[in-house]
Amino acid sequence: MDSCRGARTAVIVGAGVAGLTAATALARGGWQVEIAEVGPPEATSGWGLCLTGPALRGLDELGLADACLAAGHGMSTITHADVHGEPAGEVRLPRLIGARRPAMVGIARPVLHRILHAEAERCGVVVRHGVTVAAVDQERDLVRVRLSDGTVRQVALLVAADGIRSSARGLLGLETSLEFHGQMVWRALVPRPRWATGIHQFAGKADTAGLVPLSDRQAYVFLTENGVERSALPDAELAPRLRQLLEPFPGRVEEIRSLVSGSESVVRRPVLTALLEGAWNRGNAVVIGDAAHAPAPQMASGAALAVEDGLVLARELGRHATVAAGLQAFAGRRAQRCRTLVETSVAIAGLEQAQRHREAYPLVESCHRLMAEPA
């Protein structure tokens, strides 16, 4: 793309959910798109995620929902239980892609990445690994992008989709702080118990544990550790420590705890959020996905916002005469919806830490209902 100039060329920084979705949607609209991804091929972080109704609705628009449902585990309920496993409430999620298809799907991150990556390449998107953006300059209706390998692109659009710790966001002068919420989230990949047909969450006396199915055979255990400092532990200590944190939970969580012993790897991450205040764009460059609005995991909707961002971005650029006008319209449509999701996720995290779980459950349900509205 070194010699490509004009109104239909784009560089996207980051090959995550937001970047790949935006790339596919733009390419289908006639854009020539290149993705710069600093990581190697097939590199993904974390074991799995949930594609809630809004994510499936967006992926269905791209013709990819059924592939995700086939590769993952379709679900329609979130079951809340107390520390002993006694039911404390159930959230039945809206089925946004038809009554005969599930409301959401749990899916392994590498599997989702392969589906999105393959579709982007099928649409003509060029994905370059091992490179990222090093400098950005606005030149009238073009953006001059220098990549980390020294090559230069002059394009009509730059999309920063490189996650909560986005470097591209800083190059655009769109700074935001990362907020830590006193929680560390643990995850471990395990065989799926037969009883785990939806998301199960158990409210302990100190922490919250649960299970999310990812396929017929696999699931991931999660534990949200409350009231802790942000810290790192040696890899060798992770599995024993997670088993220790699960000890206070009897019943079904005891079964989950025994499965952790055989898990090949355990991950532990701080609960961080980010919300970009004010403008999301500088000229013909824009920030999307977690780089603009990263929620806490309690609403399981970060991927939904990312998918929506990619689709709405392409839609608004197609409706406006200039890129700058399209970007302004995109941010105008997305800002309040994303703010609501981030702020709700933070509120739920706070209620968890205060052991006010029964106040959190209706908040989860009402936010999912709100997210079911069109993007």
Side-chain angles (χ1 to χ4, degrees):
M1 288 180 61
D2 296 80
S3 62
C4 290
R5 299 167 61 97
R8 309 293 282 179
T9 56
V11 166
I12 296 176
V13 186
V17 175
L20 287 168
T21 303
T24 295
L26 287 168
R28 290 187 180 188
W31 288 74
Q32 185 175 351
V33 183
E34 179 179 20
I35 297 178
E37 167 54 51
V38 70
E42 301 297 323
T44 55
S45 61
W47 287 123
L49 51 74
C50 288
L51 297 173
T52 56
L56 285 178
R57 178 173 56 197
L59 292 170
D60 201 38
E61 185 177 326
L62 295 176
L64 302 178
D66 285 329
C68 293
L69 289 169
H73 187 90
M75 306 174 284
S76 296
T77 60
I78 301 173
T79 300
H80 296 292
D82 65 17
V83 66
H84 300 289
E86 292 299 320
E90 184 178 79
V91 177
R92 292 189 174 274
L93 298 172
R95 296 174 182 253
L96 303 186
I97 57 171
R100 296 189 177 184
R101 291 195 280 181
M104 62 180 170
V105 62
I107 190 169
R109 283 182 180 270
V111 173
L112 175 62
H113 183 269
R114 284 195 291 271
I115 292 171
L116 295 177
H117 193 282
E119 182 61 19
E121 290 198 325
R122 191 190 71 80
C123 292
V125 175
V126 176
V127 184
R128 297 186 60 208
H129 290 274
V131 294
T132 189
V133 61
V136 178
D137 294 298
Q138 302 280 347
E139 297 180 348
R140 295 184 181 179
D141 292 334
L142 295 176
V143 185
R144 187 176 187 273
V145 182
R146 179 166 59 83
L147 299 179
S148 55
D149 63 357
T151 58
V152 174
R153 307 289 187 264
Q154 288 181 295
V155 292
L157 174 66
L158 173 67
V159 180
D162 51 339
I164 189 172
R165 295 179 177 84
S166 171
S167 60
R169 180 181 60 212
L171 292 173
L172 297 176
L174 299 172
E175 298 290 351
T176 189
S177 61
L178 304 187
E179 301 295 332
F180 174 60
H181 297 282
Q183 295 178 315
M184 299 293 292
V185 173
W186 300 69
R187 291 187 176 91
L189 192 67
V190 298
R192 182 181 71 85
R194 288 192 175 185
W195 53 263
T197 57
I199 295 177
H200 288 259
Q201 183 169 308
F202 304 88
K205 294 180 179 179
D207 304 322
T208 304
L211 194 72
V212 178
L214 298 178
S215 69
D216 288 342
R217 294 185 176 184
Q218 290 186 319
Y220 74 80
V221 175
F222 69 86
L223 182 133
T224 306
E225 187 180 7
N226 289 314
V228 292
E229 298 292 329
R230 186 176 175 183
S231 62
L233 293 176
D235 288 348
E237 296 181 15
L238 293 176
R241 176 59 178 157
L242 177 56
R243 290 195 298 272
Q244 182 183 11
L245 290 169
L246 290 169
E247 281 182 358
F249 296 85
R252 283 181 164 174
V253 180
E254 179 60 30
E255 178 185 348
I256 297 173
R257 180 174 175 269
S258 67
L259 297 175
V260 172
S261 300
S263 181
E264 295 180 358
S265 181
V266 176
V267 296
R268 177 178 181 262
R269 299 285 187 269
V271 173
L272 300 173
T273 61
L275 185 63
L276 193 59
E277 302 287 352
W280 287 15
N281 73 295
R282 287 284 186 268
N284 283 22
V286 68
V287 180
I288 70 171
D290 277 358
H293 45 72
Q298 277 78 356
M299 278 299 302
S301 295
L305 292 185
V307 169
E308 288 181 349
D309 275 1
L311 293 172
V312 174
L313 176 65
R315 199 173 296 142
E316 291 301 328
L317 287 169
R319 289 174 177 170
H320 290 81
T322 67
V323 171
L327 297 185
Q328 291 282 354
F330 160 75
R333 283 185 59 181
R334 299 297 294 154
Q336 186 55 52
R337 182 178 180 87
C338 296
R339 173 179 291 278
T340 297
L341 192 285
V342 172
E343 291 179 347
T344 301
S345 73
V346 171
I348 294 167
L351 290 170
E352 284 183 350
Q353 294 191 79
Q355 300 299 304
R356 294 159 58 187
H357 298 286
R358 290 188 179 274
E359 294 175 51
Y361 302 154
L363 193 56
V364 171
E365 183 168 15
S366 64
C367 192
H368 278 298
R369 298 288 173 187
L370 181 63
M371 289 290 293
E373 297 297 321

